[in-house]
Amino acid sequence: AQSVAQPEDQVNVAEGNPLTVKCTYSVSGNPYLFWYVQYPNRGLQFLLKYITGDNLVKGSYGFEAEFNKSQTSFHLKKPSALVSDSALYFCAVRDSWGKLQFGAGTQVVVTP
Amino acid sequence: NAGVTQTPKFRVLKTGQSMTLLCAQDMNHEYMYWYRQDPGMGLRLIHYSVGEGTTAKGEVPDGYNVSRLKKQNFLLGLESAAPSQTSVYFCASSRGGSTYNEQFFGPGTRLTVL
């Protein structure tokens, strides 16, 4: 069975500082990994995905994620956080049938 | 394009009542999904469909039924609502032909069962 874990319920960061949201995964076979963001009272929005190739994946809104096979991690990063980045972030792994398994989510709070 | 839309946005039911949630997408996507979101549990897949006329069970299918009579619509039914079904329900869709395509989500339906 595949799964993802987001070890932090909440991440607090000051505006302008680097932001990292952690995700680790467990799969048999090749991992297909995704990050989504959810703003209050909205549906999830796709940020980026790793399928194969470069370990550093660039996505929307200045976000990027680093795939690390040896550590089975797929951490989301942003060099300089904005107050508008405050949201709920989900990591997900996809199985061969196209179904997504989501982590529990990490609340990001960016303070001015 | 409207993307993925969900009807209704909010609903309050009494235990034992039934209702249907409607999801519509205008992107000609093959795959459609129904999730529920509960605090601290992420999103859990209820049912999904890989094409018109086909449906399959997800992680938490009990108490729900679905139908995909038209490619653009995916209906989620609760025959006899229970308080444990109080949740936020999200519909999503994605292109077929590959497991790599990202899913597009609707705005959600907040359901309360008293």
Side-chain angles (χ1 to χ4, degrees):
Chain A
Q2 57 188 38
S3 64
V4 292
Q6 294 181 242
E8 301 158 315
D9 292 336
Q10 182 165 315
V11 170
N12 298 300
V13 63
E15 188 174 32
N17 283 358
L19 169 63
T20 299
V21 186
K22 296 180 180 177
C23 172
T24 59
Y25 66 89
S26 175
V27 301
S28 54
N30 294 324
Y32 306 127
L33 299 160
F34 296 75
W35 275 102
Y36 286 82
V37 60
Q38 184 181 28
Y39 298 101
N41 301 313
R42 302 285 295 276
L44 277 69
Q45 295 179 29
F46 169 76
L47 279 178
L48 50 80
K49 63 184 175 184
Y50 173 83
I51 304 301
T52 186
D54 289 342
N55 290 339
L56 187 63
V57 179
K58 294 190 181 297
S60 306
Y61 312 122
F63 283 93
E64 58 189 26
E66 185 172 9
F67 172 71
N68 188 316
K69 188 173 183 178
S70 62
Q71 297 185 3
T72 62
S73 66
F74 189 54
H75 300 333
L76 182 70
K77 300 181 180 183
K78 187 171 184 181
S80 178
L82 301 172
V83 172
S84 56
D85 294 327
S86 298
L88 188 57
Y89 291 80
F90 290 98
C91 181
V93 61
R94 191 152 184 162
D95 68 15
S96 58
W97 291 98
K99 304 194 301 293
L100 284 175
Q101 182 76 37
F102 285 89
T106 298
Q107 184 70 49
V108 170
V109 178
V110 182
T111 52
Chain B
N1 288 347
V4 180
T5 58
Q6 293 182 231
T7 308
K9 289 184 170 55
F10 303 93
R11 186 73 186 268
V12 178
L13 291 178
K14 294 181 180 179
T15 297
Q17 288 184 319
S18 64
M19 79 164 293
T20 300
L21 283 66
L22 171 63
C23 176
Q25 52 94 5
D26 62 1
M27 296 173 283
N28 201 34
H29 284 170
E30 289 291 333
Y31 296 174
M32 295 187 75
Y33 312 82
W34 275 107
Y35 294 91
R36 59 178 289 171
Q37 182 180 26
D38 302 292
M41 302 187 72
L43 276 74
R44 293 180 293 169
L45 183 65
I46 305 171
H47 286 279
Y48 65 102
S49 168
V50 298
E52 182 178 322
T54 70
T55 63
K57 293 180 180 180
E59 182 184 355
V60 288
D62 293 343
Y64 305 95
N65 57 76
V66 288
S67 64
R68 183 100 181 266
L69 299 180
K70 294 182 179 180
K71 185 177 183 180
Q72 64 268 32
N73 295 339
F74 195 28
L75 279 65
L76 178 71
L78 286 72
E79 291 185 349
S80 179
S84 61
Q85 294 178 305
T86 293
S87 188
V88 182
Y89 292 85
F90 288 98
C91 176
S93 70
S94 67
R95 288 185 292 162
S98 166
T99 61
Y100 313 145
N101 296 318
E102 60 269 26
Q103 294 180 14
F104 293 80
F105 284 78
T109 295
R110 186 173 296 274
L111 175 66
T112 301
V113 183
L114 302 176

